[in-house]
Amino acid sequence: MTSFFTRRLVLSLLTVVVAGGLAVSWLLGRVALRPMAMYTGWLLLVLLLGLTFFNARKKLPFIPLFSASTWLQAHLYAGWLACFVFLLHTGGRLPDGAVEIVVAAAFWLVAVSGAFGLWLSRWLPPRLTRSGESLVYERIPMLCHQLVTEAKDIVRAAEAETQSTTLGDFHVRVLAGYFAHQPAWLAPLAGGDAEHHRVKLELEALRRFLSVRENAIADQLADLVEAKRNLDHQFAGQRLLKLWLFAHVPLTFVLLVFTAAHVWLVLQYSHR
C-alpha cells in the first residue's frame, strides 16, 4: 500500500511539474510571439497517439514493453496532462469552426469518459468482491441457467416427497421470474437490491405455512436466491465496465479521425 501511494504521489508531482513547465513555456512563447498553438497542437497529437497505444498494448500482452499496470499508470497521468495541454492549445477559448467544435466535443467526451472509467475501476471492484470470487463474465449466464435448473429440480423433488404444491406454486409465482430476471444496466450505480429483498421477504412469509421438511427445502431455495443475487452483482458490474469500454474506445478513434482532419486543414491553410 505504501509503495503504491508513493508511486502515485511521485507521478502526480511529476505531472504537475511537467504541466507547470509547459505553462511557463507557453507564456514565454506568447510573449515572444511564437506559434504556440502549433507547438501545443503537435504535443497534444503525440499525447493522443500515446494514449491510444495503451489500448493496442492491452491487445498485445506478449510484447515485452513494461507491465500492463505500468502502461495503465502512464495512460492515466498522460491523460490528465493531455487535458491541460488541450487548454493551452485552445488558450481557454471556445472553438468557433465546425471541425474545431467537433474535435473539442470529441476530446472532452473522451476525457470525461476516461475520468468516469477511472472512478468506476476504483469504486466497483471492491463491491464485486463482496459478492464472492470474481467470475468470468461470459460464464455468468450459464451459471444463472444452472440455478434455474437446480431450483426446478428442488421444487419437483419437494412436491414428490411432501405431496404439497405450496413450494411449487411459490416457484411459479415468484421464483421463476426472479431467476429469469436480469439486472438493469446501471444497477451497480443505483445500489440496493429491491427485487432480492422482495423475494427474500416473501419466502420468509411463506415459511409459516410450510412443514418442517418443506422449511428445510425452503432453506435450499433461499441459498439459490442468495447465489442469484451474487451472480447479478457480478454480471451487472462487469457488464457496466464493458459498456464503458465500448463507449470510451470508439470515441477515442472518432477523436483521432477528426484530429487528423484538423491537422490536415491547419497544414493546408498555414502555407497560404
Side-chain angles (χ1 to χ4, degrees), residues 158 162 164-170 202-219 221:
T162 64
S164 171
T165 62
T166 304
L167 286 174
D169 294 339
F170 180 76
E202 290 199 32
L203 182 58
E204 288 300 317
L206 183 69
R207 288 179 180 274
R208 294 176 298 172
F209 308 101
L210 301 179
S211 64
V212 175
R213 177 57 185 151
E214 285 176 317
N215 266 297
I217 297 172
D219 289 339
L221 293 176

Side-chain angles (χ1 to χ4, degrees), residues 27-47:
L27 289 173
L28 294 176
R30 295 262 294 185
V31 172
L33 301 179
R34 303 298 296 172
M36 297 309 296
M38 181 71 72
Y39 298 157
T40 55
W42 285 117
L43 175 59
L44 185 58
L45 179 61
V46 170
L47 286 172

Side-chain angles (χ1 to χ4, degrees), residues 240-269:
L240 184 58
L241 286 172
K242 288 182 178 292
L243 176 65
W244 166 74
L245 275 178
F246 285 140
H248 184 65
V249 174
L251 281 173
T252 300
F253 286 104
V254 169
L255 173 60
L256 287 177
V257 169
F258 282 100
T259 298
H262 175 65
V263 170
W264 182 82
L265 288 173
V266 169
L267 292 178
Q268 287 294 311
Y269 287 99

Side-chain angles (χ1 to χ4, degrees), residues 84-145:
F84 183 75
V85 173
F86 184 86
L87 292 175
L88 293 179
H89 180 63
T90 61
R93 292 178 286 102
L94 294 176
D96 52 7
V99 176
E100 287 77 7
I101 291 175
V102 173
V103 172
F107 179 87
W108 287 116
L109 281 174
V110 171
V112 170
S113 66
F116 175 73
L118 173 62
W119 171 78
L120 195 64
S121 66
R122 298 288 188 267
W123 178 80
L124 193 54
R127 284 158 177 77
L128 294 182
T129 303
R130 298 172 193 167
S131 301
E133 61 177 324
S134 180
L135 301 172
V136 177
Y137 176 77
E138 288 74 16
R139 292 190 68 246
I140 295 178
M142 180 192 70
L143 295 174
C144 288
H145 180 70

